[in-house]
Amino acid sequence: MAAKDGKKYVYSFGAKKTDGGAEDKNLLGGKGANLAEMCHLKLPVPPGFTVSTECCNDFFANKSKFPKVLTEQVEDALRLIETEMGMKFGDAQNPLLVSCRSGARTSMPGMMETVLNVGLCPATIPGLVAKTGNERFVYDSYRRLIMMYSDVVMEKAEGLELGEGKGIRVQLEGIMHELKAKKGYKSDTDMTTDDLKILCEKFKERIKKVIGKAFPDDPMAQMWGGIGAVFKSWNGKRAVSYRRIESIPDEWGTAVNVQAMVFGNMGNTSATGVAFTRNPATGENKFYGEWLINAQGEDVVAGIRTPSPLNNDTKNDQNRHLQSLEEQMPGTYKQLLSIRATLEGHYKDMQDIEFTIQDGKLFMLQCRSGKRTGTAALNMAMDMLAEGLIDKKTAVMRLKPAQLDELLHPIVDPKAEIMAKLLCKGLPAGPGGACGHIVFTAHEAVKQAKAGKTVILVREETNPEDVEGMQAAEGILTARGGMTSHAALVARGWGKCCIVGAGAMHVDAAKKTLTVGNTVLKEGALVTLNGTRGHVYNGKVPLVDSSENPRFQEFMGIVDTFRTMGVRANADTAEDARKARAFGAEGIGLFRTEHMFYGKGSDEPLFLLRKMILSKTVEERTSVLKKLFRFVKSDIKATLAAMDGLPVTIRLLDPPLHEFVPQSAAKQKELATSLGITPKEVKARGEALHESNPMMGHRGVRLGVTYPEITEMQVRAVYEAAAELIKSGKNCLPEIMIPVTCDMNELKHQKALIKAVYDDVVLRKKIDAIPHLIGTMIEIPRAALLADQMAKEADFFSFGTNDLTQMTFGFSRDDIGGFMNDYIEQKIIPADPFQTIDQEGVGQLIKFAVERGRQTKKGLKVGICGEQGGDPESVRFCFKSGLNYVSCSPFRVPIARLSAAQAAIKG
Ligand code: PEP
Ligand code: MG
């Protein structure tokens, strides 16, 4: 089947011939690769073929035209399906039908398109009726094809804009509802064969009228239309949005899987379902799934009907009254159980599977590593390790660093929950707690979240079009749909708190109301979700931290056995220091002295700082500094004590001076009285401090050069605090860090001052020595370029990547809001460099400085303390660049620990 020009676009799978396997995900997409793998495992998979992602890219490169060689390859592959099935595509007597389904490298649940029942038309209908003896089923399949095809192929793939709520699918659904209402039917299954025949004709008439083209009743035309539409859905709005959120490259493209149809809607011995080999929300080792009798796959995932539970073990309040597959089809359930064992044994991971039962016979339509919550990922990794299914290394790789964030996320306070007003119950689709103001459209969720509001997105049913709103919302609540609906899957993948299928709730999106019994909540009302239990509360219920999980601690213990790079925290108070240690920080990488002038207890030191800033003479300044000394020393001492011998990097003052000048008349007056000058003079001195470009102004080391007494006061505070702790039998290891340097002479200048103070403190405190280091931040490109010289004067380097990014790009870190989004959306830069290190540019400076610094001083200790220090990609980069540690905010310490361990494993 190789093409004449050498390009092979089509890969078959089936019982007789399978071209690819699980390792071919990039080429065949996840679905195609795993279908092939299941064929190798001899599982019952309907035969088919995969048109590769490479073909998708060539299709787009060629103005949405198929490569010439594709026709022959597809036709050949179709013949193979026909042979295996003993049926023929387009045949009047024995017609084969196929599905066209999307499948990218990583799963994008519900974000792209699918067309089922392809090949059904007036020419093939009689044959299928004769073969199945089930005319109703055939016409039901036909009406589904017409609905799906007109929506996916004729409207969306052609880029028609029929307007909000006026899409062809909505219109056809309207016709169907009308018919059902007229006849008094409750369910789709109440429709008779004659009803369906009439419906199909009406559908075709409407399509012709709205779209201007006839529905194609030619099997081949349908198949090619389907393949093209699936390709085009890669660039559909929701797929593009999802890719942006998940950072999936546009170049990947999607594959198309064309597969023999098997039918779950052939009557009461047929069914379709979705299952997880373990519970994806909690990780519990129980087979978990949902199924619908007499239905096609789309009915389960689209959340149209509340599905039945797979087994008795996993029934919940919402579906307890429904029959499980275990009860209704025990033989098939047993077979499915054995497939569960085969798949877990083979993939050594939880699998998310789709299956169809056609007239009592089971078929596997998909398997993939299932999306899971952070809690589930942790529990599964630890369980599988205990079961001997995976080793420690694999267990460490099983959690995405971002999932830890979710594990540390708040939960509804169990004590407060007892008293809370329960509004209704639904299915616990995404755990954790969320409290916010309700909104009824994705658009509104995005808008209000942007304005800084915490919102809960409330929808009647789950809909992948809502993807951006779901991302923006703190929690998601829907009235319909099951645990395997697309929205539940997506929310779970993001670690969002989510409750679906809250059936007691009525949602009116037009009126913007949520009604449960007599309670009516309007847009903006507060609700609280407990996504772990599926409980919805009216009003605000407090949330609490969930970090005390012993399994989490055990997992992190294993993580640390693989980690070689250190992890520290940026902490400015003793309280933060304790928190950082609880999260596993091995030191403080950045103690910003100036933070004592903000927030709680800052009134007096702030007043003194202001007085110091506005002092005109050395005498004035020195007298204020003496008073300020007490505060600085007690703060540093408390933090050193809290870290108990772990290194604490104390950065010398780096305040943006203008921010500290008092603005209010009252404060100016108070300061004037204290300084013995007039308020007018205070104002004038403040104005004299004004800088056009304060970020590049009189800050950091420059302050210490102009006012040596400021440096002296601070290092005296450090050394005295340390000496006193040592004398009282405690351990401590201060590291003095000089900020915003660009030349080694600055370091020389400051070190001379520091040394003099050190000698004095040692003498006065009658102590032999105070262990300490003196180093510098590298946050100006010149310092990086002259790292060999800087290293002569520094015991350590710490990259201040906030400033280093600012100075390398020339992007003001305080003003990027105005243009950063445009830059990212228009792909001028791949990501915000203030969040994740720009490895190409800033990264070069870092690598260069590490190398040059260590040329001067072998074994020079190097760390990072910019915000990027807690970003998994940046942590990996730091590991590869040979840094000794990363430092980040206390809450991100576990994320950095896991990222560092994974970097070491990946090498
Ligand atoms: C930095 O510039 O990266 C840094 C840590 O210092 P600051 O953010 O305080 O300027
Ligand atoms: Mg800085």
Side-chain angles (χ1 to χ4, degrees):
M1 220 186 301
K4 289 189 187 77
D5 69 355
K7 256 194 186 169
K8 178 176 166 70
Y9 288 123
V10 174
Y11 295 76
S12 288
F13 57 84
K16 295 213 171 74
K17 179 177 185 290
T18 297
D19 295 330
E23 64 286 357
D24 299 316
K25 282 205 177 71
N26 294 359
L27 193 64
L28 304 184
K31 190 178 285 164
N34 284 326
L35 280 167
E37 193 69 14
M38 284 198 289
C39 290
H40 291 308
L41 292 173
K42 307 261 177 272
L43 298 182
V45 176
F49 59 86
T50 305
V51 187
S52 69
T53 54
E54 192 185 6
C55 186
C56 178
N57 287 331
D58 289 353
F59 174 78
F60 285 123
N62 191 23
K63 298 193 188 109
S64 298
K65 284 204 192 77
F66 294 118
K68 278 209 179 70
V69 293
L70 190 65
T71 317
E72 192 189 333
Q73 293 187 31
V74 163
E75 282 171 1
D76 287 350
L78 194 58
R79 297 287 93 79
L80 286 179
I81 308 181
E82 289 175 343
T83 314
E84 189 170 327
M85 294 295 286
M87 301 164 101
K88 225 171 149 28
F89 191 66
D91 192 72
Q93 266 79 46
N94 187 17
L96 168 76
L97 304 189
V98 297
S99 62
C100 295
R101 304 163 87 200
S102 59
R105 268 190 219 186
T106 55
S107 89
M108 296 169 55
M111 298 302 146
M112 286 183 292
E113 304 295 357
T114 289
V115 194
L116 304 178
N117 308 333
V118 171
L120 208 48
C121 60
T124 53
I125 284 174
L128 196 63
V129 172
K131 194 156 181 248
T132 57
N134 190 341
E135 191 180 23
R136 190 197 175 279
F137 147 73
V138 176
Y139 277 96
D140 185 48
S141 303
Y142 191 42
R143 70 100 188 152
R144 285 170 189 268
L145 167 69
I146 300 173
M147 283 176 116
M148 244 190 234
Y149 195 93
S150 57
D151 172 41
V152 171
V153 186
M154 302 179 76
E155 180 187 327
K156 292 209 180 97
E158 293 304 318
L160 296 186
E161 302 273 352
L162 298 182
E164 183 80 21
K166 293 193 186 127
I168 189 70
R169 181 153 196 142
V170 175
Q171 295 199 31
L172 301 188
E173 270 164 4
I175 297 177
M176 192 161 95
H177 281 144
E178 232 171 68
L179 181 135
K180 278 165 64 185
K182 210 166 102 192
K183 302 240 170 175
Y185 299 154
K186 279 208 179 89
S187 160
D188 291 359
T189 46
D190 294 337
M191 290 187 289
T192 64
T193 310
D194 285 339
D195 292 334
L196 290 164
K197 282 184 182 171
I198 294 167
L199 212 51
C200 289
E201 286 316 308
K202 284 196 173 164
F203 280 2
K204 288 196 208 170
E205 274 166 33
R206 179 66 65 93
I207 291 168
K208 185 86 204 281
K209 195 166 146 217
V210 173
I211 298 186
K213 271 194 237 162
F215 171 78
D217 269 328
D218 168 54
M220 267 312 195
Q222 286 177 4
M223 189 183 71
W224 284 109
I227 295 175
V230 172
F231 277 163
K232 285 184 188 165
S233 70
W234 175 253
N235 285 331
K237 192 168 170 278
R238 59 179 196 258
V240 171
S241 299
Y242 188 82
R243 287 208 293 278
R244 294 284 168 278
I245 294 165
E246 294 278 300
S247 304
I248 296 173
D250 292 341
E251 306 76 65
W252 281 5
T254 180
V256 184
N257 299 291
V258 178
Q259 189 176 21
M261 281 297 302
V262 284
F263 298 96
N265 56 338
M266 265 175 74
N268 287 343
T269 51
S270 298
T272 185
V274 179
F276 298 89
T277 55
R278 300 185 189 214
N279 187 315
T282 63
E284 200 180 10
N285 188 4
K286 279 185 177 165
F287 197 21
Y288 186 92
E290 292 168 338
W291 72 297
L292 278 175
I293 206 156
N294 197 12
Q296 278 198 334
E298 50 163 350
D299 301 339
V300 184
V301 291
I304 292 166
R305 283 156 61 183
T306 295
S308 311
L310 198 62
N311 47 32
N312 301 343
D313 226 15
T314 57
K315 282 191 174 180
N316 57 39
D317 288 351
Q318 271 64 46
N319 59 25
R320 202 169 299 287
H321 61 289
L322 300 168
Q323 278 237 316
S324 68
L325 184 72
E326 188 180 13
E327 287 163 319
Q328 202 147 344
M329 300 185 186
T332 314
Y333 179 70
K334 245 178 144 176
Q335 194 190 349
L336 206 55
L337 265 185
S338 115
I339 290 176
R340 172 199 186 210
T342 306
L343 288 175
E344 276 215 349
H346 181 71
Y347 285 100
K348 304 194 186 310
D349 195 7
M350 183 269 273
Q351 295 296 298
D352 162 355
I353 62 180
E354 279 182 24
F355 63 90
T356 283
I357 301 162
Q358 175 175 306
D359 213 4
K361 193 166 173 337
L362 176 68
F363 291 95
M364 297 298 297
L365 297 187
Q366 178 169 312
C367 85
R368 62 186 172 198
S369 283
K371 285 193 188 300
R372 62 204 72 180
T373 63
T375 311
L378 173 70
N379 288 332
M380 282 179 203
M382 295 306 282
D383 283 349
M384 289 185 183
L385 181 64
E387 291 159 27
L389 200 60
I390 57 174
D391 59 12
K392 284 187 176 170
K393 230 183 225 181
T394 313
V396 169
M397 297 306 291
R398 279 288 158 84
L399 265 88
K400 290 191 202 138
Q403 284 181 315
L404 287 188
D405 194 24
E406 175 201 327
L407 278 175
L408 302 170
H409 264 155
I411 53 172
V412 174
D413 181 353
K415 285 196 209 103
E417 194 170 6
I418 300 169
M419 309 298 293
K421 227 161 100 194
L422 186 71
L423 188 64
C424 58
K425 285 186 193 173
L427 301 175
C435 175
H437 303 272
I438 57 173
V439 292
F440 294 90
T441 62
H443 176 75
E444 201 57 38
V446 173
K447 197 171 123 198
Q448 296 208 16
K450 264 198 186 141
K453 255 202 171 161
T454 312
V455 297
I456 305 286
L457 178 61
V458 180
R459 303 286 285 153
E460 174 67 13
E461 63 191 328
T462 52
N463 181 349
E465 309 274 349
D466 294 339
V467 54
E468 287 187 72
M470 289 162 66
Q471 170 80 359
E474 199 70 11
I476 299 154
L477 171 63
T478 75
R480 290 202 267 168
M483 286 284 282
T484 51
S485 62
H486 281 140
L489 232 68
V490 170
R492 204 173 295 134
W494 288 337
K496 283 249 156 166
C497 174
C498 176
I499 297 175
V500 298
M505 162 178 110
H506 175 71
V507 179
D508 190 331
K511 287 201 185 121
K512 299 188 179 176
T513 55
L514 180 171
T515 311
V516 182
N518 294 328
T519 312
V520 182
L521 300 183
K522 297 205 179 102
E523 185 178 81
L526 268 178
V527 299
T528 304
L529 309 184
N530 180 339
T532 315
R533 298 174 71 187
H535 289 187
V536 185
Y537 298 100
N538 192 351
K540 182 178 169 141
V541 187
L543 304 175
V544 293
D545 191 12
S546 70
S547 62
E548 295 299 312
N549 178 349
R551 267 211 138 165
F552 169 71
Q553 304 292 359
E554 198 188 335
F555 174 77
M556 291 309 292
I558 300 172
V559 164
D560 283 343
T561 61
F562 291 97
R563 182 165 60 83
T564 51
M565 185 168 66
V567 175
R568 298 191 185 185
N570 293 356
D572 312 316
T573 61
E575 198 183 319
D576 278 358
R578 279 188 282 274
K579 208 182 287 160
R581 282 192 71 183
F583 282 125
E586 296 156 317
I588 290 181
L590 178 62
F591 174 96
R592 288 179 169 107
T593 314
E594 57 275 16
H595 276 223
M596 75 168 70
F597 306 115
Y598 299 103
K600 215 170 70 192
S602 65
D603 277 2
E604 204 178 342
L606 178 60
F607 178 75
L608 293 168
L609 179 78
R610 283 174 164 165
K611 208 169 158 185
M612 179 198 79
I613 289 171
L614 297 183
S615 295
K616 266 254 162 105
T617 64
V618 180
E619 292 71 33
E620 261 180 12
R621 198 171 306 107
T622 314
S623 98
V624 189
L625 281 170
K626 267 198 188 131
K627 291 188 188 142
L628 198 53
F629 172 78
R630 186 165 57 86
F631 292 97
V632 177
K633 180 174 157 185
S634 84
D635 240 42
I636 290 174
K637 192 170 173 182
T639 302
L640 282 171
M643 292 309 283
D644 190 25
L646 293 174
V648 178
T649 311
I650 300 152
R651 181 179 70 180
L652 299 184
L653 260 176
D654 180 15
L657 287 184
H658 63 291
E659 278 183 21
F660 289 101
V661 173
Q663 300 301 327
S664 76
K667 290 280 174 206
Q668 284 177 358
K669 190 160 171 243
E670 193 185 345
L671 207 56
T673 313
S674 173
L675 281 166
I677 54 175
T678 62
K680 216 170 142 195
E681 174 68 9
V682 166
K683 215 171 159 219
R685 286 191 192 183
E687 275 161 14
L689 281 173
H690 172 81
E691 292 178 320
S692 307
N693 209 337
M695 275 291 185
M696 296 193 197
H698 203 172
R699 60 178 287 208
V701 68
R702 298 158 205 170
L703 210 59
V705 169
T706 322
Y707 308 117
E709 55 277 14
I710 296 181
T711 300
E712 283 162 356
M713 178 278 283
Q714 293 177 83
V715 293
R716 183 173 295 282
V718 173
Y719 288 135
E720 282 195 14
E724 287 166 19
L725 285 170
I726 293 167
K727 284 182 90 171
S728 70
K730 296 232 165 71
N731 292 316
C732 64
L733 183 52
E735 299 179 343
I736 293 166
M737 181 157 77
I738 304 169
V740 204
T741 52
C742 61
D743 196 286
M744 72 168 191
N745 285 330
E746 290 169 324
L747 291 177
K748 270 192 183 156
H749 177 280
Q750 293 291 290
K751 276 175 73 184
L753 298 173
I754 295 171
K755 170 99 180 36
V757 174
Y758 176 83
D759 291 343
D760 187 53
V761 172
V762 166
L763 202 71
R764 281 169 192 257
K765 293 281 177 188
K766 299 192 180 63
I767 187 167
D768 291 341
I770 303 164
H772 71 280
L773 299 176
I774 302 171
T776 185
M777 292 187 77
I778 303 285
E779 48 187 343
I780 292 182
R782 190 174 192 273
L785 293 169
L786 299 179
D788 53 343
Q789 295 181 22
M790 302 299 276
K792 284 187 192 148
E793 297 298 330
D795 296 329
F796 66 89
F797 285 172
S798 177
F799 288 103
T801 39
N802 301 333
D803 276 312
L804 191 59
T805 300
Q806 166 167 265
M807 311 255 186
T808 306
F809 277 88
F811 288 168
S812 160
R813 55 195 269 197
D814 295 333
D815 304 305
I816 49 163
F819 57 86
M820 188 54 76
N821 272 347
D822 296 334
Y823 266 58
I824 293 168
E825 262 166 33
Q826 295 178 41
K827 295 194 199 165
I828 291 170
I829 52 172
D832 177 356
F834 290 98
Q835 289 180 34
T836 186
I837 288 177
D838 155 49
Q839 298 187 18
E840 250 193 319
V842 176
Q844 270 198 61
L845 285 171
I846 292 176
K847 282 190 166 154
F848 183 85
V850 173
E851 200 185 299
R852 287 297 166 95
R854 287 192 180 144
Q855 268 169 20
T856 301
K857 203 171 263 173
K858 201 166 161 254
L860 176 77
K861 195 163 70 162
V862 185
I864 176 178
C865 61
E867 282 307 300
Q868 300 90 335
D871 162 67
E873 267 309 304
S874 309
V875 172
R876 177 132 201 257
F877 171 78
C878 291
F879 170 80
K880 289 208 273 189
S881 306
L883 265 59
N884 299 84
Y885 68 85
V886 294
S887 188
C888 55
S889 69
F891 273 99
R892 289 169 93 189
V893 165
I895 297 174
R897 284 163 69 196
L898 179 59
S899 306
Q902 293 186 343
I905 291 171
K906 281 190 212 153

